[in-house]
Amino acid sequence: MSLLIGDRLDALRSAVTTSHRSQFRRLHEQCEWSARQVLPEQHPSASITWLGAGAPNLALAHLLTGQPWYLAELRRWLRATCALPHWGKEHMPDTDLDAGWLCFGLALVEDWVGHLLPADERSMLQAKLALQAGRLHKYIEENRGAWWADAYWQNHNWICYSGLAAVGYALPGHPRSGDWTAAAAANARELRRRLPADGADGEGVVYWRYGVPWLAAHADLMRTAHDPEGHNAFKDFDFLRQTFWYRLHQAAPGFETIINHGDCHDRRSGHSVALYYKLASEYGIGEAQWLANRVADQHFWREAYESGVRPGVMPEAYLEFLWFNETIEPASPMALPTGRSFSDLGLLATRTSWRDDANMVSVKASPGSGHGSWREGHALAASGKWQAASDGHSHPDMGAFVVIGAGNTSPSMRATAAGSCPDTTTWFSLTGAGCAVKAAITCGRTCPKPRPRCCMPAPQAYRAPERWVCLSSIRPPAIRRNSGFRQCCARCWSVRAGSSSLMTGWRPAHHVSGVGCCTPMYRPHRKHRNGGPCAKASAP
């Protein structure tokens, strides 16, 4: 029984030339890419996660075909990787993402083809894996409550524990392997309990794409390793069961780019074909199968070369092959409701249709990474786990909104054919976003004529609270220059106001404790005007 493979090896070997033919072609092409890489002799300053991500592709290709070229190239990768004294250099060597990625990838190599390596090379690999897993586990034991050891809503937590578990399962004879898998299983129990049941990710779509595949990978590890906790690893994970719907409704019209709530530093880092396949297979989601196929056919290579997240989608070829289930019938989302809300994140997204030229609005109203992490994180902090609710990849963007008109990302909405502002109050009433959002975008008093546009508060809202400007006159650089306001009190936040290509957000916003909504504040607090107490002001 092999990790992530189980008892399917013979069937997968047959599928290379049948049902999985296109996935194997991707796998082979990725192996050819690996063969062209110059491997480091010394640890570079940059991340080396790509070394861990690339090794399983070569190992799986050899396991499926028996062709010696793959194994020869894999041995080159193993020698270079194991020769590095540390995994990670500039940030937390041996105890963060580099170590997690490499532990996971090389553990799969050991499990799949370790017995085919020369004895000295296998001993080298096993010793290096044990050393690095020991360092990860020591970090966990010494840093409970600090950073990723207990940061349940953070992708660093998911990645590092998955790497630790993979080594434990790949080295069953090691005296500490049970400690490593048990620590990861205990963390997985916390994740199943604490991550929002509606599947929304407060880190945003970019880190959803980067982090959530690891939740699926660890669940798959536990199941294929016959861990007692692996039997219901997918069945009992409500977040995983629902998270595809979050991702679908955070797709911009056309499905190629994303809605950029949270930590989304670009709009082309949103797709994981492998994860779509896995969610489709585990939960019978035909729409996930459909989106995986669409991305693979139309959008994959642009994301591969333009995404700002590394190591990116290309090294996931082995997961695409293993997680593809040809029995899942693709289902277009065209018949689905065009809006959906996610209560934990205070997120509502709606569009006029699923067509590529649709109009769309998405509004986020929760604090930090969501109501659950906000509430439970404070409770954990009170118990001494002071960094358990680390929001390193979430933004204080409660009250932020994104509007896309006619499928494009220009920072304006289309005017109506009659030449008057769209009735945005009616627009938002139809989406059910609530009174706070009804007032957020409206026809301003100073809309230029004769071609009025949809308007929003000026970026200079603190200094000129009554001034409103036409969206078409707001350019992203101006928005960015004015987006650095600080928190003025415990309950009032400065909210992100823009990005490189979209009109987003307003500021300031006010979080109403216990209500679960954010009310836009277009006038400055009294504190800003005359030094008085912080109090909510009415919209103009």
Side-chain angles (χ1 to χ4, degrees), residues 338-359:
T338 54
R340 191 174 179 119
S341 63
F342 301 86
S343 59
D344 184 79
L345 201 54
L347 182 70
L348 184 139
T350 189
R351 63 191 73 209
T352 53
S353 72
W354 288 103
R355 289 166 50 92
D356 292 358
D357 60 353
N359 297 326

Side-chain angles (χ1 to χ4, degrees), residues 364-434:
K364 179 185 175 185
S366 75
S369 290
H371 293 290
S373 69
W374 183 265
R375 178 181 62 253
E376 296 178 33
H378 279 80
L380 288 167
S383 72
K385 296 184 177 183
W386 59 278
Q387 271 195 343
S390 171
D391 281 349
H393 289 297
S394 66
H395 287 191
D397 56 355
M398 60 283 278
F401 57 81
V402 175
V403 177
I404 296 177
N408 73 43
T409 57
S410 60
S412 65
M413 286 183 62
R414 300 300 178 89
T416 62
S420 60
C421 286
D423 186 349
T424 51
T425 298
T426 302
W427 174 295
F428 285 112
S429 293
L430 289 174
T431 69

Side-chain angles (χ1 to χ4, degrees), residues 207-243:
Y207 284 95
W208 180 95
R209 175 263 167 283
Y210 182 77
V212 174
W214 293 90
L215 299 177
H218 186 212
D220 212 12
L221 281 177
M222 288 194 290
R223 184 168 61 189
T224 53
H226 296 295
D227 190 301
E229 300 205 28
H231 180 68
N232 293 322
F234 285 98
K235 179 181 177 182
D236 295 341
F237 207 158
D238 291 336
F239 174 87
L240 270 184
R241 182 184 301 277
Q242 298 297 330
T243 197

Side-chain angles (χ1 to χ4, degrees), residues 151-336:
Y152 305 116
W153 298 272
Q154 249 280 356
N155 69 81
H156 291 246
N157 172 284
W158 310 342
I159 293 169
C160 293
Y161 274 107
S162 296
L164 183 64
V167 177
Y169 293 131
L171 301 178
H174 192 279
R176 298 298 305 277
S177 63
D179 296 335
W180 302 336
T181 57
N187 186 73
R189 288 194 296 272
E190 293 294 328
L191 298 183
R192 291 194 294 271
R193 182 168 70 88
R194 296 181 185 274
L195 292 183
D198 60 14
D201 184 2
E203 291 189 321
V205 174
V206 167
Y207 284 95
W208 180 95
R209 175 263 167 283
Y210 182 77
V212 174
W214 293 90
L215 299 177
H218 186 212
D220 212 12
L221 281 177
M222 288 194 290
R223 184 168 61 189
T224 53
H226 296 295
D227 190 301
E229 300 205 28
H231 180 68
N232 293 322
F234 285 98
K235 179 181 177 182
D236 295 341
F237 207 158
D238 291 336
F239 174 87
L240 270 184
R241 182 184 301 277
Q242 298 297 330
T243 197
F244 172 75
W245 305 114
Y246 160 78
R247 176 60 187 89
L248 181 66
H249 285 273
Q250 290 295 280
F255 302 100
E256 185 173 8
T257 58
I258 65 173
I259 300 300
N260 54 345
H261 295 302
D263 193 1
C264 293
H265 40 67
D266 69 77
R267 300 186 63 243
R268 294 195 182 278
S269 299
H271 293 297
S272 171
V273 172
L275 181 59
Y276 296 152
Y277 282 151
K278 189 60 173 174
L279 297 177
S281 179
E282 293 295 335
Y283 302 116
I285 304 173
E287 291 81 3
Q289 193 88 336
W290 177 90
L291 185 57
N293 292 342
R294 170 153 177 160
V295 172
D297 292 342
Q298 300 183 34
H299 310 314
F300 182 87
W301 291 108
R302 188 166 183 180
E303 167 140 349
Y305 291 112
E306 294 187 15
S307 169
V309 174
R310 294 292 179 266
V313 295
M314 290 175 61
E316 292 183 357
Y318 74 99
L319 291 175
E320 292 170 21
F321 185 92
L322 292 176
W323 286 352
F324 174 63
N325 181 349
E326 72 280 9
T327 68
I328 302 298
E329 189 69 26
S332 168
M334 298 304 169
L336 292 176

